[in-house]
Amino acid sequence: MRRTSDIVSVPLWQEKIAAPRLADRPLPAAVDVLIVGAGYTGLSAARETAAAGRTTLVLDAAAVGAGCSGRNGGQVAYSIKPSPGKLSSRYGTERALAICREGREAVAYLRSLATQGGVDCDWRERGCFFGAHTPRHFKAMAREARAQHPALQQRITVVTPAEQRQEIASDFYHGGCVYHDDASVDPMMLLLALLRRAQDGGAAIQDHCAVTAIRASRAGFEVQTSRGIVRAQKVLLATNGYSGPVSRWHRRRVISIGSYQIATEPLGKERVLSLMPQGRNMVDSRRVVVYFRPSPDGERIIFGGRAALGEKDPIACVPRLRAMLTAIFPQLQAVRISHAWVGWVAYTFDTMPHVGQRDGLYYCMGYCGQGVPLAPYFGMRIGRQMAGLSDGRTALDGLPFPSRPYYFGTPWFLAPSVWVFRTLDALGI
Ligand SMILES: Cc1cc2nc3c(=O)[nH]c(=O)nc-3n(C[C@H](O)[C@H](O)[C@H](O)COP(=O)(O)OP(=O)(O)OC[C@H]3O[C@@H](n4cnc5c(N)ncnc54)[C@H](O)[C@@H]3O)c2cc1C
């Protein structure tokens, strides 16, 4: 195995496309809209407020895309986690159906941006193979695929264990399903395209400028930054898994969890295709899920998941992630890993994204590790809301945003939860 000291801790995508360093410009004294966070959410919202004629300033504490938007897996799927049945029991049938529709629209919106809207992001609609971890999981997923909820008619093909090798050169799974509408993007290309869109719409973006406090004022808000104070009529928190002390209320409602990825060294296109013949995304039915896909150039495999009980340096997680990869592909026993990285995704206690405002402060966050389609879409919607447009409304507006007693932003329950889930997975339960 390669020495870990040779492994680069930069996301593979950023090797080809580095995050841009934006010119330092004097901050305006006042704007109509100030957005905290320059990831997919913040940039998408900024495009809408600027295009509607509102002076818009986006600030990021680090580089554009330093958060998850520059370091994700680029997989695009229907991403509302609770099932339609669970949504119905929580919010009633009508609202549940409307929420499912939003989930589908999020994928459709990204597809339309990529295929007709000039957002050049290496959009590929090759689908996703969802591998069954146990025969019982296979039965359940095949049953669900055959009796899909009317709100969620996705194109799904059941793949029996006997057919599985058409999808993956592995016997690790017990069959699975192909979700044909799923797609993939190059995360950095998407980020840069959304950055350009926001700038072309008239938004000003400033990197390396942290927001340190937000105070309500008579005309809106006074925003303290590392480079001085900016007054803003409206403010959006688009900080997702990087939500810090600026709003304690939000910090108590998002659970920042590290998601870890590795990239193999180039294996050659033929070898990658021999392992994943359809070139699809892959995920599986374990509680501690893993996800992988060919790199955009088809030369490598990019593999991600939860590698440790607590948070760790991404390089320290390589042996475990590599072992998880080779459990699926024993043929890769001698494979070398060239890149390893981590980013902070935002889980929520009800596994729902949350869009809305509290005391006049807008927020859009909590994608539970699935923001590639959700963040551009809900960012667009909240931007329209802030601009006072009626099509900014969403079926998620005003959903209760739960916290838990004794949770103040440090997920002390994470390690024991991962341990329990991992044990149940190992027992095949
Ligand atoms: C390893 C990994 C793999 C993933 N894979 C997938 C996938 O395959 N499919 C999928 O759908 N999703 C995936 N995700 C999740 C997805 O990337 C995120 O949900 C999405 O990018 C969130 O975008 P965002 O703009 O809301 O937040 P982010 O991109 O995280 O941006 C938040 C920004 O806020 C900034 N910020 C925070 N506090 C302040 C402050 N006080 N002042 C100024 N700026 C501040 C941060 O610097 C950061 O840039 C993955 C995430 C990771 C980490």
Side-chain angles (χ1 to χ4, degrees):
M1 203 209 311
R2 189 178 185 172
R3 293 195 321 272
T4 49
S5 57
D6 295 338
I7 299 170
V8 180
S9 60
V10 173
L12 179 69
W13 331 107
Q14 294 189 16
E15 219 161 62
K16 195 178 76 178
I17 306 172
R21 180 70 173 98
L22 304 175
D24 277 343
R25 298 228 161 77
L27 294 187
V31 290
D32 294 331
V33 173
L34 188 143
I35 295 174
V36 192
Y40 300 153
T41 303
L43 295 172
S44 303
R47 158 77 187 195
E48 301 302 323
T49 52
R54 311 292 188 276
T55 52
T56 299
L57 174 66
V58 184
L59 298 179
D60 202 292
V64 172
C68 286
S69 300
R71 47 187 63 242
N72 59 73
Q75 299 201 11
V76 179
Y78 169 83
S79 293
I80 301 289
K81 280 193 184 282
S83 66
K86 196 170 246 174
L87 291 171
S88 290
S89 61
R90 274 192 206 163
Y91 312 117
T93 311
E94 204 175 309
R95 192 157 194 194
L97 296 185
I99 291 172
C100 293
R101 261 198 309 278
E102 301 271 7
R104 297 192 62 172
E105 271 178 38
V107 177
Y109 176 67
L110 188 53
R111 179 187 295 117
S112 78
L113 284 182
T115 57
Q116 297 153 34
V119 168
D120 183 13
C121 60
D122 193 36
W123 174 265
R124 296 183 200 199
E125 212 155 324
R126 298 231 172 112
C128 177
F129 175 71
F130 181 33
H133 182 53
T134 65
R136 196 171 56 85
H137 289 184
F138 175 66
K139 273 191 199 147
M141 64 170 72
R143 198 170 47 240
E144 279 168 28
R146 289 192 183 108
Q148 281 193 71
H149 194 279
L152 258 190
Q153 292 296 320
Q154 302 188 79
R155 290 184 299 139
I156 307 177
T157 304
V158 175
V159 179
T160 63
E163 295 162 337
Q164 180 171 299
R165 282 198 163 245
Q166 293 165 19
E167 294 293 332
I168 181 166
S170 169
D171 298 319
F172 187 79
Y173 296 116
H174 298 264
C177 284
V178 172
Y179 284 71
H180 295 279
D181 300 322
D182 288 12
S184 64
V185 296
D186 179 317
M188 276 307 277
M189 285 178 72
L190 176 60
L191 182 82
L192 291 198
L194 295 180
L195 171 65
R196 268 193 301 275
R197 254 184 119 243
Q199 288 172 324
D200 292 348
I205 325 286
Q206 186 62 68
D207 56 1
H208 300 283
C209 181
V211 169
T212 51
I214 302 172
R215 290 181 287 272
S217 68
R218 201 177 299 162
F221 293 91
E222 207 177 71
V223 179
Q224 180 78 51
T225 81
S226 51
R227 288 175 43 196
I229 289 177
V230 182
R231 281 175 286 110
Q233 281 175 19
K234 294 184 178 174
V235 174
L236 169 66
L237 273 185
T239 46
N240 206 45
Y242 294 76
S243 299
V246 162
S247 168
R248 290 183 50 189
W249 190 84
H250 291 90
R251 203 179 186 192
R252 290 202 59 208
R253 282 158 179 81
V254 293
I255 311 157
S256 295
I257 299 183
S259 185
Y260 296 79
Q261 279 193 308
I262 53 173
T264 66
E265 280 200 335
L267 302 171
K269 285 184 185 143
E270 271 182 32
R271 187 149 184 231
V272 172
L273 261 183
S274 75
L275 297 168
M276 302 157 86
Q278 313 296 335
R280 302 193 205 281
N281 302 335
M282 306 260 160
V283 291
D284 72 28
S285 65
R286 279 177 278 188
R287 288 174 184 79
V288 185
V289 73
V290 302
Y291 53 95
F292 47 108
R293 56 172 282 200
S295 57
D297 64 7
E299 296 279 348
R300 312 167 185 251
I301 294 179
I302 298 165
F303 184 90
R306 177 78 207 170
L309 295 183
E311 305 301 357
K312 268 192 177 178
D313 182 284
I315 304 277
C317 292
V318 168
R320 187 169 189 108
L321 281 174
R322 193 180 169 287
M324 288 154 83
L325 171 68
T326 56
I328 298 169
F329 293 119
Q331 316 76 317
L332 292 181
Q333 216 45 255
V335 77
R336 292 161 176 247
I337 303 303
S338 58
H339 298 70
W341 66 97
V342 61
W344 306 104
V345 299
Y347 269 72
T348 55
F349 288 103
D350 58 1
T351 67
M352 288 291 291
H354 286 274
V355 186
Q357 53 169 307
R358 180 177 184 269
D359 296 338
L361 178 62
Y362 287 83
Y363 56 85
C364 186
M365 57 180 64
Y367 309 115
C368 301
Q370 299 198 271
V372 175
L374 297 180
Y377 175 75
F378 285 118
M380 173 272 287
R381 291 278 178 227
I382 195 87
R384 290 187 186 176
Q385 255 183 53
M386 294 176 84
L389 303 173
S390 59
D391 66 353
R393 282 198 288 266
T394 83
L396 284 76
D397 293 345
L399 284 185
F401 195 167
S403 181
R404 289 286 183 275
Y406 306 112
Y407 178 64
F408 302 102
T410 304
W412 48 267
F413 42 79
L414 183 63
S417 308
V418 175
W419 185 84
V420 169
F421 291 155
R422 202 189 264 175
T423 306
L424 292 174
D425 285 340
L427 295 172
I429 295 170

